[in-house]
Amino acid sequence: MAINKKNITLNFIGLIFLFFSIAAIINSIYIGKPQAVLWFCYFGLFIISIGVFTKNDSLIISQLNILAIPLIVWVLDFFSYFIFGRTILGITDYMFTNGDIIGKIISFQHLITIPLSIYALIKIRIKSSYALKINLIQVPIFFVLSRYLTEEIHNVNCVYRPCMNILYFDLYPIAWFVSYILMIIITNYLFITLMKKEINLLN
């Protein structure tokens, strides 16, 4: 029986995402920060893994819509430390301080989520995506859960204040939703309108 290399590759990628998502949940509970399981990036890893296993491009794109731009900002901030000797935005300061080594290792998923997800999409192909419908449900639910089930000191999903060193104002929740709407629309347009043909041709 011939070995389906594409399925093996996709299953391996799916396992990577699943491993990081489970590891993040277990570590968050272990260090006494169960509220951390509500971070978009941790939940997103799990949904992406399901999308990869089931070859569902919409599940993958829905999480990239939410995560792609924040992940890019995280990566830029992380590497800025090695260029300038400090992080520019302060988002990744925790990576260069003492404590929670396992959490820092798990945080390296920020570096691989986008490229692995795009590679999986190349193998799966982008079809008719309903990613925006998923985002329409997921984002408000997670805002409510993060805002009312977690404390401000933890600032899960940045719902209380920006996660970077910038000014904000009293109407911040509105700015939060506007920011996410813009990020989702831009990323979805990028994948569905601009990159769909190119990604499908690479398969």
Side-chain angles (χ1 to χ4, degrees):
M1 182 171 60
I3 298 176
N4 191 323
K5 293 184 178 179
K6 182 172 79 171
N7 285 340
I8 292 176
T9 300
L10 288 174
N11 287 337
F12 180 68
I13 293 173
L15 285 173
I16 292 175
F17 283 121
L18 184 61
F19 169 78
F20 273 107
S21 66
I22 293 175
I25 292 171
I26 293 175
N27 185 64
S28 297
I29 295 173
Y30 176 75
I31 65 175
K33 296 181 178 180
Q35 69 281 343
V37 302
L38 289 175
W39 277 99
F40 276 130
C41 55
Y42 292 164
F43 181 78
L45 290 173
F46 178 74
I47 297 301
I48 291 174
S49 73
I50 299 301
V52 174
F53 285 134
T54 60
K55 299 181 178 65
N56 187 318
D57 59 299
S58 291
L59 287 180
I60 299 172
I61 293 174
S62 71
Q63 301 312 298
L64 286 177
N65 285 348
I66 296 172
L67 298 175
I69 293 177
L71 286 175
I72 291 172
V73 173
W74 190 99
V75 170
L76 292 175
D77 194 57
F78 176 76
F79 283 109
S80 72
Y81 179 86
F82 302 100
I83 298 173
F84 304 107
R86 61 180 180 83
T87 62
I88 295 177
L89 300 173
I91 301 172
T92 58
D93 282 347
Y94 70 95
M95 294 292 287
F96 306 101
T97 58
N98 295 327
D100 193 17
I101 298 300
I102 300 300
K104 293 176 183 178
I105 294 174
I106 294 172
S107 283
F108 279 111
Q109 57 85 10
H110 291 84
L111 300 173
I112 64 173
T113 295
I114 294 177
L116 280 183
S117 295
I118 292 177
Y119 186 74
L121 286 173
I122 291 172
K123 294 295 182 182
I124 294 170
R125 299 174 67 86
I126 297 177
K127 309 172 189 72
S128 56
S129 175
Y130 52 87
L132 287 178
K133 295 179 181 178
I134 297 175
N135 297 144
L136 184 64
I137 298 171
Q138 180 184 352
V139 171
I141 289 177
F142 269 73
F143 177 85
V144 172
L145 292 176
S146 301
R147 185 85 179 190
Y148 296 103
L149 295 183
T150 69
E151 297 177 3
E152 183 174 356
I153 188 174
H154 302 298
N155 199 30
V156 174
N157 292 319
C158 314
V159 295
Y160 289 100
R161 62 186 181 281
C163 287
M164 59 185 74
N165 298 326
I166 60 175
L167 296 175
Y168 64 103
F169 46 89
D170 291 339
L171 298 178
Y172 176 70
I174 296 176
W176 187 93
F177 272 104
V178 170
S179 298
Y180 267 96
I181 290 171
L182 290 175
M183 288 192 297
I184 288 169
I185 291 175
I186 291 171
T187 307
N188 193 78
Y189 177 80
L190 179 65
F191 279 105
I192 302 303
T193 305
L194 299 183
M195 295 177 61
K196 179 178 179 179
K197 183 177 180 181
E198 285 73 15
I199 286 177
N200 289 347
L201 286 175
L202 290 173
N203 188 8

